[in-house]
Amino acid sequence: VVGGQTDDCFAEAVRIGLGSMPKWLPCRYFYDTAGSRLFERICDLPEYYLTRIEERLLRTNRREMVERFGTTPVIVELGSGSSRKTRWLLEAACARFGTIEYMPIDVSGPLLKVAAEALTDALAGLRVTALVGDYRAALDLLRKRRECPRLFLFLGSSLGNYERDSAIALLRHIHDASHAGDRLLLGTDLVKDAAILEAAYNDASGLTAQFNKNLLLRINRELGGRFDVGSFIHRAHYDAARSRVEMHLVSRHEQQVRIDKLGMVAAFSEGETIHTENSHKYTITELQELAAGSGFVEELAWTDEAGWYRVQMWRRV
Ligand code: TRP
């Protein structure tokens, strides 16, 4: 595991986000150790169909995915988490090429370590080099390396957590860090009925609410925040005009919250929200436009029978 420095940016992000109107926080800070563990459990929820469908698409089509490569690819994954779904693909790649180098990149160091150890124990031909940190730093590092070809993985509909402009910027960044013939396997959630989407982000057991509120607990833990988590409500709403699920934390009443290490007080009126995340939903046409707009061509794509989720393989040109 390479990297692992503590994140000073969190303090800055909280200062800026809670000082803004409307208030917001960047979603990458969900994934501290506690948050990453909660997210793994979200992936098993009956309402959260995304992981289940994506995993099935990967498992069923993994040979076809791996066979696009004439020579052994290095597999690089952005936001690998537990690497649970990727395991299927790595298995197929090891079977086909004998040995495989896998580079998972994630903001959660502890999770990466556990995942890397489990994978190397299970798959004889696998070599894992894990990178702790954000995608941009990792991609800059990769740009300088010349081994070819590469298969980039960006799964779990993580692209949807970016604003549309930022999504294009990130895809271009991947394009810049890669070479002609490299490929990107991208998993994205599709536009569908609002009730299905809202249930996926507001499950009956309250796990997603706990995940959202962990952000406030993280501020308490790391920045000396005084948030009373019970005085905020988790809200997930599908905005059909923008094709995105918005996640908010809503203040139940007027309150002032001190954050000691930032020397600031965040004032909330009743019903005021902190916007903590967007999850954009795409149409197939939009996805193909995204590919074209960032220097890739769609080579293959897989969708479930209901048309809820899509995994696509893009070739870098
Ligand atoms: N990439 C995931 C998604 O957009 C992240 C996610 C799932 C999420 N459930 C969440 C983020 C709940 C915040 C709150 O589906």
Side-chain angles (χ1 to χ4, degrees), residues 242-259:
R242 294 163 119 161
S243 317
R244 70 186 197 191
V245 176
E246 290 194 1
M247 236 84 57
H248 290 266
L249 289 163
V250 189
S251 178
R252 283 181 192 269
H253 47 75
E254 191 184 319
Q255 57 181 316
Q256 317 242 319
V257 181
R258 274 214 335 268
I259 303 173

Side-chain angles (χ1 to χ4, degrees), residues 27 30-31 39 42-43 48 50 155-161 189 200-202 207-209 211-212 234 236 245 247 276-281 309:
C27 66
F30 277 131
Y31 304 93
F39 186 69
I42 288 177
C43 294
Y48 197 70
L50 291 81
L155 302 174
S157 198
S158 302
L159 186 73
N161 301 133
D189 199 15
Y201 294 87
N202 195 2
L207 202 57
T208 307
F211 176 67
N212 199 2
H234 163 73
V245 176
M247 236 84 57
T276 52
E277 164 142 296
N278 294 314
S279 189
H280 292 86
K281 307 303 166 186
Y309 197 90

Side-chain angles (χ1 to χ4, degrees), residues 49 160 164 189-202 234-248 275 277-283 286 308:
Y49 59 86
R164 288 176 199 269
D189 199 15
L190 300 175
V191 167
K192 65 181 65 61
D193 189 70
I196 297 163
L197 287 167
E198 287 179 353
Y201 294 87
N202 195 2
H234 163 73
R235 184 198 289 158
H237 163 75
Y238 182 60
D239 181 341
R242 294 163 119 161
S243 317
R244 70 186 197 191
V245 176
E246 290 194 1
M247 236 84 57
H248 290 266
H275 188 173
E277 164 142 296
N278 294 314
S279 189
H280 292 86
K281 307 303 166 186
Y282 287 100
T283 62
E286 277 175 315
W308 282 11

Side-chain angles (χ1 to χ4, degrees), residues 112-150:
L112 265 178
K113 197 162 185 300
V114 174
E117 281 165 6
L119 281 172
T120 41
D121 285 349
L123 296 172
L126 196 69
R127 232 183 65 211
V128 183
T129 310
L131 297 172
V132 185
D134 64 53
Y135 306 155
R136 284 167 186 278
L139 287 172
D140 287 338
L141 204 91
L142 282 171
R143 191 208 316 268
K144 294 173 197 128
R145 297 180 42 164
R146 289 254 123 210
E147 80 280 272
C148 275
R150 284 186 294 213

Side-chain angles (χ1 to χ4, degrees), residues 17-194:
L18 296 188
S20 303
M21 194 69 168
K23 294 178 171 58
W24 68 290
L25 291 168
C27 66
R28 55 175 299 229
Y29 297 108
F30 277 131
Y31 304 93
D32 66 350
T33 304
S36 295
R37 290 215 175 98
L38 284 168
F39 186 69
E40 289 302 314
R41 291 171 57 201
I42 288 177
C43 294
D44 285 328
L45 288 170
E47 295 94 333
Y48 197 70
Y49 59 86
L50 291 81
T51 312
R52 217 169 19 257
I53 298 180
E54 186 175 59
E55 183 160 0
R56 184 157 51 81
L57 291 173
L58 290 175
R59 199 182 56 218
T60 318
N61 301 292
R62 58 191 160 144
R63 257 175 231 98
E64 193 183 3
M65 292 169 180
V66 163
E67 266 158 19
R68 303 312 299 177
F69 290 90
T71 54
T72 314
V74 173
I75 300 182
V76 180
E77 180 166 16
L78 307 184
S80 50
S82 68
S83 300
R84 188 176 96 184
K85 295 168 287 187
T86 313
R87 201 176 176 131
W88 297 108
L89 205 68
L90 295 172
E91 221 176 79
C94 285
R96 166 85 205 256
F97 297 106
T99 56
I100 280 287
E101 188 184 346
Y102 174 50
M103 299 183 72
I105 303 163
D106 203 272
V107 287
S108 173
L111 193 60
L112 265 178
K113 197 162 185 300
V114 174
E117 281 165 6
L119 281 172
T120 41
D121 285 349
L123 296 172
L126 196 69
R127 232 183 65 211
V128 183
T129 310
L131 297 172
V132 185
D134 64 53
Y135 306 155
R136 284 167 186 278
L139 287 172
D140 287 338
L141 204 91
L142 282 171
R143 191 208 316 268
K144 294 173 197 128
R145 297 180 42 164
R146 289 254 123 210
E147 80 280 272
C148 275
R150 284 186 294 213
L151 171 58
F152 290 89
L153 309 179
F154 197 29
L155 302 174
S157 198
S158 302
L159 186 73
N161 301 133
Y162 289 76
E163 299 284 340
R164 288 176 199 269
D165 289 352
S166 313
I168 286 263
L170 177 64
L171 293 169
R172 292 213 173 115
H173 208 102
I174 297 173
H175 181 272
D176 289 347
S178 55
H179 310 286
D182 287 357
R183 285 165 173 94
L184 171 64
L185 191 68
L186 182 68
T188 49
D189 199 15
L190 300 175
V191 167
K192 65 181 65 61
D193 189 70

